[in-house]
Amino acid sequence: MEKVTPFGAAILILLLTIPPSHAGPCEDSIARVQAQADAAIEKRAGAGGWQKESLNATRNYQPTPRSIAATEGKYGRRLQRVLNALDLARAADRAGDVAQCNAQLDRARRALAAR
């Protein structure tokens, strides 16, 4: 039997402690809908022209899709519904609930398509 070196043992321990990572069954669909949501948020944010700088902007906070959507009034509420549905889809995907994931993705798509 071969002797295990301390370096080899450390690598073995490291490999055994890394949690398995795998893509959920809905991950690709979530990514596509997220890209559509990001594009809709960016388009809407760019359509408004210049606005007064917010307090968060003066504090150097980086905008997120959710924070941008929050500033867009009625249209922004719809975008927030899309983002909430995507969050729920991700949670369902992590839990392996494909039906719930697809239901939330459909909800997000309907909100994106609404005018």
Side-chain angles (χ1 to χ4, degrees):
M1 184 174 224
E2 288 187 38
K3 183 177 177 184
V4 177
T5 66
F7 180 70
I11 289 175
L12 181 60
I13 291 170
L14 178 65
L15 290 174
L16 292 174
T17 59
I18 297 173
S21 176
H22 64 282
C26 290
E27 188 170 326
D28 290 339
S29 297
I30 291 170
R32 281 191 298 274
V33 176
Q34 180 69 57
Q36 293 170 351
D38 291 345
I41 291 168
E42 192 167 323
K43 180 180 175 185
R44 178 63 185 183
W50 291 98
Q51 302 291 324
K52 183 178 180 213
E53 192 171 38
S54 72
L55 182 59
N56 283 341
T58 63
R59 292 182 176 162
N60 294 323
Y61 294 149
Q62 292 297 311
T64 64
R66 194 170 299 278
S67 69
I68 294 169
T71 65
E72 296 297 323
K74 181 180 176 182
Y75 187 79
R77 286 189 293 277
R78 181 164 50 95
L79 292 172
Q80 287 178 321
R81 286 194 304 273
V82 171
L83 296 173
N84 290 339
L86 283 168
D87 288 345
L88 293 172
R90 284 186 189 90
D93 189 44
R94 283 190 300 274
D97 189 345
V98 177
Q100 181 63 17
C101 181
N102 287 329
Q104 292 302 325
L105 288 172
D106 288 342
R107 183 175 159 220
R109 287 183 193 108
R110 283 191 309 272
L112 278 170
R115 294 285 172 199

